[in-house]
Amino acid sequence: MVRGGSATAGPTLAVVAREAGVSVPTASKVVNGREDVAPETRRRVTEALDRLGYVRRPRFEASKPSRMVDLVVHSLDSSWSGAVLHGVEQAAHDAGLELVVSAGLTRTRGGRPERGWFDKLTARGSAGVLFNLAELSPAQYSWLAQHRIPFVLIDPVLEPPPGVVSVGAANWQGGMTATEHLLALGHERIAVIAGYRRKMCSSARVAGYRSALTAAGIPFRPEYVRYGNFVETAAHGRMHQLLDLPEPPTAVFVCSDRMALGVYEALAERGLRVPDDISVVGFDDLPEARWATPALTTVRQPLSEMASTALHLLVRMMEGEQPESTRTELSTRLVERASTRGCGGPEFG
């Protein structure tokens, strides 16, 4: 965990109020997450807080450690998030912790939680935080360190700063396993549809795909690599692009089950059948993979286990321990279903 800042006293709330041109009570309202503050006033106070490095002191006694932890998720409208929540909730229950879940936080440009949420975190005396798919700024990492709030990242969007604890899946191995499965079936024209280009898991899965091709002596074809944003509509469009190539693929590795559903739709629109005309492999092993027709061969990502592992690491950090490693990766495995078959060399345009 990053340990920035110092234990020395920082600027007082009166200094912050003077810097922002507001009264001390108004500055206090912003610090405590009150809603009855005009947006422009809140902006000025928040900027002054960040500029001066103000550190809010938690309102709970050190002699009575908090048993509350926060989980910050991108949203709760998917089975992906549901699996993460299930893992954290069960682990928190076993540890005797209370859990506060924040989803769809008001965000600044770039998808980062707003400063107001962090102020509420200390106001309620949370003892630690799990961030799932969060992209924190350097200032926010520093803020957490200054407040001495332990935190763990679950499947971080970008490579975390040195010392930050994170839990993820073996994405490189998963990408390699998916591609090796298709190669073993006789496919050579294998495409990949990844998520966000800059996301850690996307680049790792594509790297695994490339490694499998190289090991099999199959030339890498850049036109077979497409990037989306982990939703069905993006994958739907990318699949149409692949089918429009002079030599379209006979198999496609799709870097999420959700995107695989969009691929299924695109293939159906072209009158192509899975797996008779084209084989499809997904990633995640969400319930949707079993419900798809045909059932989707996919790489299982242990989402609930990742979440519970992160909670256990957080508890250790709350107790003053430091994990032996800052990066924990859980293994992935291929789950074979009905969406892949041997390559018969179909030609279609």
Side-chain angles (χ1 to χ4, degrees):
M1 189 176 121
V2 171
R3 291 290 185 186
S6 71
T8 59
T12 65
L13 195 58
V15 173
V16 172
R18 185 167 61 250
E19 176 76 8
V22 301
S23 67
V24 173
T26 297
S28 178
K29 288 181 180 181
V30 174
V31 168
N32 289 297
R34 293 270 297 273
E35 303 296 334
D36 52 338
V37 180
E40 175 60 23
T41 301
R42 184 181 301 279
R43 182 191 65 77
R44 296 204 316 272
V45 174
T46 298
E47 289 179 354
L49 290 167
D50 291 336
R51 187 164 56 249
L52 297 174
Y54 178 81
V55 177
R56 189 190 189 286
R57 305 303 175 192
R59 296 187 302 183
F60 55 92
E61 298 178 32
S63 60
K64 298 179 180 178
S66 171
R67 300 302 293 171
M68 180 187 299
V69 296
D70 274 67
L71 168 65
V72 181
V73 296
H74 181 71
S75 68
L76 285 174
D77 62 353
S78 69
S79 52
W80 201 103
S81 298
V84 170
L85 178 58
H86 173 75
V88 173
E89 191 278 331
Q90 184 61 57
H93 174 78
D94 294 343
L97 296 172
E98 296 181 40
L99 181 64
V100 176
V101 180
S102 299
L105 295 175
T106 301
R107 300 171 187 275
T108 58
R109 185 170 299 177
R112 302 184 180 101
E114 281 191 338
R115 168 64 188 255
W117 179 85
F118 287 89
D119 290 328
K120 291 178 182 179
L121 178 73
T122 50
R124 62 176 167 261
S126 186
V129 190
L130 298 175
F131 291 102
N132 178 219
L133 292 175
E135 182 180 345
L136 303 180
S137 69
Q140 289 167 342
Y141 280 121
S142 178
W143 188 96
L144 288 162
Q146 287 175 349
H147 285 74
R148 295 187 177 86
I149 297 177
F151 65 97
V152 178
L153 307 182
I154 304 172
D155 197 12
V157 174
L158 305 177
E159 184 73 32
V164 170
V165 177
S166 66
V167 178
N171 289 296
W172 180 90
Q173 186 61 53
M176 189 167 187
T177 300
T179 310
E180 287 176 337
H181 170 68
L182 294 170
L183 289 166
L185 293 173
H187 295 278
E188 295 186 0
R189 288 154 41 194
I190 304 171
V192 59
I193 300 177
Y196 292 104
R197 184 185 297 267
R198 67 192 185 95
K199 195 174 187 297
M200 281 180 62
C201 68
S202 291
S203 58
R205 292 169 195 175
V206 173
Y209 156 84
R210 292 192 62 168
S211 294
L213 293 179
T214 299
I218 305 298
F220 172 69
R221 300 174 64 158
E223 69 272 20
Y224 278 1
V225 180
R226 306 285 163 152
Y227 291 90
N229 58 0
F230 285 116
V231 298
E232 298 93 324
T233 53
H236 174 272
R238 302 303 183 270
M239 190 68 240
H240 276 298
Q241 293 172 359
L242 290 169
L243 295 174
D244 289 336
L245 292 173
E247 193 173 32
T250 63
V252 58
F253 165 40
V254 191
C255 290
S256 83
D257 293 346
R258 185 175 175 182
M259 288 199 298
L261 300 181
V263 167
Y264 271 34
E265 183 178 6
L267 294 172
E269 291 171 355
R270 295 294 188 98
L272 299 174
R273 297 167 299 169
V274 179
D276 296 343
D277 298 311
I278 189 164
S279 290
V280 180
V281 177
F283 201 106
D284 287 331
D285 195 26
L286 299 177
E288 294 91 317
R290 299 190 298 274
W291 301 336
T293 304
L296 179 66
T297 295
T298 188
V299 176
R300 182 179 185 273
Q301 180 173 206
L303 296 173
S304 292
E305 294 91 334
M306 285 161 53
S308 61
T309 297
L311 191 281
H312 292 144
L313 287 170
L314 182 64
V315 170
R316 290 176 54 192
M317 295 166 67
M318 288 161 52
E319 294 173 346
E321 297 183 36
Q322 185 67 14
E324 294 78 13
S325 173
T326 58
R327 173 67 178 178
T328 300
E329 283 195 355
L330 302 188
S331 61
T332 55
R333 65 179 177 85
L334 185 74
V335 179
E336 293 188 48
R337 296 194 178 99
S339 65
T340 55
R341 62 174 294 178
C343 178
E347 295 292 336
F348 48 84

